Amino acid sequence: MLKPGGTIGILGGGQLGRMMAMSAAQLGFHTIIYAPEKDSVAAEVSRDFFCNKWDDTAALTAFIQQCDAVTWEFENVPVAPLAPIADRITPHPRALETAQDRLAEKRFVEELGGAPAAYATVDTHEELMRAVERIGTPGILKTRRDGYDGKGQWRIGSVRDAEGLRVPDMPAIYEGFVDFSAEFSVILVRSKDGEIRYWDSAENVHENGILAHSTIPAGAAIADQLKPARALAAAIAQRLDYVGVLTCEFFATAAGPVFNEMAPRVHNSGHWTIEGAATSQFENHIRAVAGLPLGDTSTIAPHIVMDNIIGKAANAALEMLSQPDTHLHLYGKKQARDGRKMGHVTRITRDAESSGSTQ
């Protein structure tokens, strides 16, 4: 168990690391950020910052020597450089290995009884055409690695679209579209002794491949599928011996929950937990990494909506503070580029009878 005054290292320097660092400070811990990008919003609220490349072995070694515990804030941290220090990192990097390859991830989930969308591997244009013929259209071509918030993805609406598409010069995967009624996430936290707790699942709405809104409570279509979705998420956590916050994204369909992808980290669709749950996803992740007892994950308001603030919408974000029960989080990013997550706002309705008015 990490004692107050201890230091937690965070691999990655974005807004998730920033919010984790703030929760760590609340519990009396220091944080150190390791990231290759000089512009780090997480470093702004941390004690120290290692701005070094992922394959800088000497820098990683010096970083780890200053930390009592180490975690990460996004799933694209390269795994190979972490091998010498893997046993010092929570959760274990085996979770990164699984999540970083979409093909490996889908096969892993299938072994546990989960149901992903129909898929096929694609390395050449000929393989893409065979995949489209077998699975049909519409569908989506994705790189097997990397890609985030819609990047590294190509929508294919017809055979003609596939014929005109230049397949990326890297391993890819073709997925058939899922006929779904809603999207949702199962977010859990698992302690070092194996205890698992869940937050309520929000209904998620995406725009242009980026999460736009998360709403609590979710609709009946999602509520009816939570039990099997949670069971699969728990099986993933158990198989990986996972410690910390784990997110699994699902489509609610007539045939049951269809697995979309896993994120071995705190997640955008759980930002509402900062004000809307007894213990936020960020605090519980720090608790798990530090070996502390987990906090209560109960929702503490009858109606909650989290909206992402994208691009130049951040310029007028402070005007939102005139609205009641509004909680604004700006991430401190300097440039408001199109499609960039600049912050989020959570609106909480305390009166259940008036919850419909905040939609």
Side-chain angles (χ1 to χ4, degrees), residues 199-253:
W199 284 271
D200 285 338
S201 288
E203 181 169 349
N204 299 325
V205 176
H206 291 77
E207 297 176 0
N208 300 318
I210 302 174
L211 179 65
H213 320 284
S214 293
T215 303
I216 294 284
I222 292 173
D224 293 342
Q225 302 193 11
L226 281 182
K227 185 175 180 179
R230 284 183 171 185
L232 177 59
I236 292 171
Q238 299 285 16
R239 178 68 66 86
L240 294 172
D241 195 19
Y242 194 92
V243 176
V245 170
L246 171 69
T247 306
C248 294
E249 297 182 63
F250 293 90
F251 300 108
T253 77

Side-chain angles (χ1 to χ4, degrees), residues 114-152:
Y119 68 92
T121 58
V122 172
D123 293 322
T124 65
H125 191 268
E126 290 73 20
E127 288 181 346
L128 173 61
M129 298 309 299
R130 287 197 295 269
V132 168
E133 181 180 3
R134 179 170 68 84
I135 296 173
T137 59
I140 186 165
L141 181 68
K142 300 179 180 179
T143 56
R144 280 175 52 179
R145 291 183 174 272
D146 300 324
Y148 186 71
D149 286 342
K151 299 179 179 66

Side-chain angles (χ1 to χ4, degrees), residues 3 13 28 42 50 58 62 69 76 93 99 102 108 156 170 179-180 204 221 284 294 310 316-318 337 341 344:
K3 296 181 179 180
F50 279 69
N76 288 333
R102 289 185 170 91
F108 173 72
I156 297 176
M170 61 183 67
D179 184 11
F180 64 91
N204 299 325
N284 256 341
L294 299 180
I310 307 296
L318 293 178
R337 298 192 298 268
K341 294 176 182 175
H344 72 269

Side-chain angles (χ1 to χ4, degrees), residues 186-321:
V186 171
I187 304 179
L188 63 79
V189 60
R190 185 173 184 269
S191 68
K192 290 186 176 181
D193 62 7
E195 179 188 4
I196 292 178
R197 297 188 180 188
Y198 304 89
W199 284 271
D200 285 338
S201 288
E203 181 169 349
N204 299 325
V205 176
H206 291 77
E207 297 176 0
N208 300 318
I210 302 174
L211 179 65
H213 320 284
S214 293
T215 303
I216 294 284
I222 292 173
D224 293 342
Q225 302 193 11
L226 281 182
K227 185 175 180 179
R230 284 183 171 185
L232 177 59
I236 292 171
Q238 299 285 16
R239 178 68 66 86
L240 294 172
D241 195 19
Y242 194 92
V243 176
V245 170
L246 171 69
T247 306
C248 294
E249 297 182 63
F250 293 90
F251 300 108
T253 77
V258 172
F259 175 85
N260 182 25
E261 62 184 17
M262 61 178 277
R265 54 171 172 81
V266 291
H267 195 260
N268 195 173
S269 64
H271 288 356
W272 65 269
T273 63
I274 298 174
E275 290 85 22
T279 310
S280 77
Q281 62 169 346
F282 300 100
E283 180 178 337
N284 256 341
H285 185 77
I286 295 298
R287 287 191 186 208
V289 168
L292 300 172
L294 299 180
D296 182 8
T297 54
S298 298
T299 302
I300 59 174
H303 191 264
I304 304 167
V305 177
M306 189 285 300
D307 297 319
N308 270 327
I309 300 172
I310 307 296
K312 294 182 180 179
N315 296 335
L318 293 178
E319 297 174 10
M320 300 177 186
L321 294 177

Side-chain angles (χ1 to χ4, degrees), residues 10 17-18 21 30-33 41-49:
I10 299 175
R18 179 186 181 96
H30 304 292
T31 50
I32 301 176
I33 304 300
V41 296
E44 292 177 354
V45 296
S46 297
R47 187 180 68 176
D48 202 356
F49 178 31

